[in-house]
Amino acid sequence: MAKIEPTVVTPANTEPPVMAPPASGPTLVATSLASETAAPVTDPRKLDQLSRIEEKAARIEEKFARYEAVLTRAEASLERSAHKVDAAAGTMDFAAIRGEITALRNRVDATPRAGTLFMTAIITAVLTVVLTILVLKFGVPGLFGGLLAR
């Protein structure tokens, strides 16, 4: 069942509003409402509704305070991160990094390419075959004699 809140009906205001004289800064306009709020409220329905309004206002203020605390922490975290990035960027030595990249490029350029590797493989294979035939034909002195017939 939905809760129906009573409404507070104020009597029609027949007095003209009281205007404050203009000043050089932000001003507030005083009206006859100030005289109405100064009088004590005795109707229990009005008191109940006013207390609910005050409770809602207090909850809104608490939410606002929580959001403000969260935003303050986020701002502080962002500020710390910005200082860390600024410090890291200030300590970077771009000339040293450029030198390291040049040294790495020189090492990569000094490594043999595919043609050199294939040529080395072919020469190694041919020399291995020739040396194997020589060992089989003449043997290794002191270990065994030639295995192939002469």
Side-chain angles (χ1 to χ4, degrees):
M1 177 178 270
K3 182 177 179 181
I4 300 174
E5 295 186 10
T7 59
V8 177
V9 179
T10 58
N13 197 0
T14 57
E15 299 177 11
V18 179
M19 301 296 285
S24 62
T27 61
L28 296 175
V29 177
T31 62
S32 62
L33 291 177
S35 63
E36 289 178 4
T37 57
V41 179
T42 56
D43 186 15
R45 287 177 37 186
K46 289 182 181 179
L47 286 175
D48 186 39
Q49 188 173 12
L50 285 176
S51 67
R52 284 196 302 266
I53 291 172
E54 287 175 350
E55 288 173 4
K56 287 180 182 179
R59 285 195 300 267
I60 290 171
E61 286 176 358
E62 288 173 7
K63 283 183 182 179
F64 177 75
R66 284 195 301 267
Y67 286 132
E68 188 177 23
V70 167
L71 290 176
T72 302
R73 285 194 305 267
E75 183 182 8
S77 175
L78 184 64
E79 193 69 29
R80 282 192 308 271
S81 298
H83 285 300
K84 286 180 183 179
V85 168
D86 188 35
T91 59
M92 290 181 73
D93 186 10
F94 292 110
I97 293 173
R98 191 176 297 120
E100 289 290 326
I101 290 174
T102 303
L104 183 62
R105 179 171 288 132
N106 290 339
R107 284 187 65 189
V108 168
D109 289 341
T111 57
R113 301 286 186 245
T116 307
L117 293 174
F118 286 134
M119 197 62 158
T120 304
I122 291 171
I123 291 172
T124 303
V126 168
L127 285 176
T128 304
V129 168
V130 169
L131 288 174
T132 304
I133 291 174
L134 287 175
V135 165
L136 289 175
K137 188 167 189 172
F138 298 109
V140 177
L143 291 177
F144 57 89
L147 297 176
L148 295 177
R150 294 185 195 191

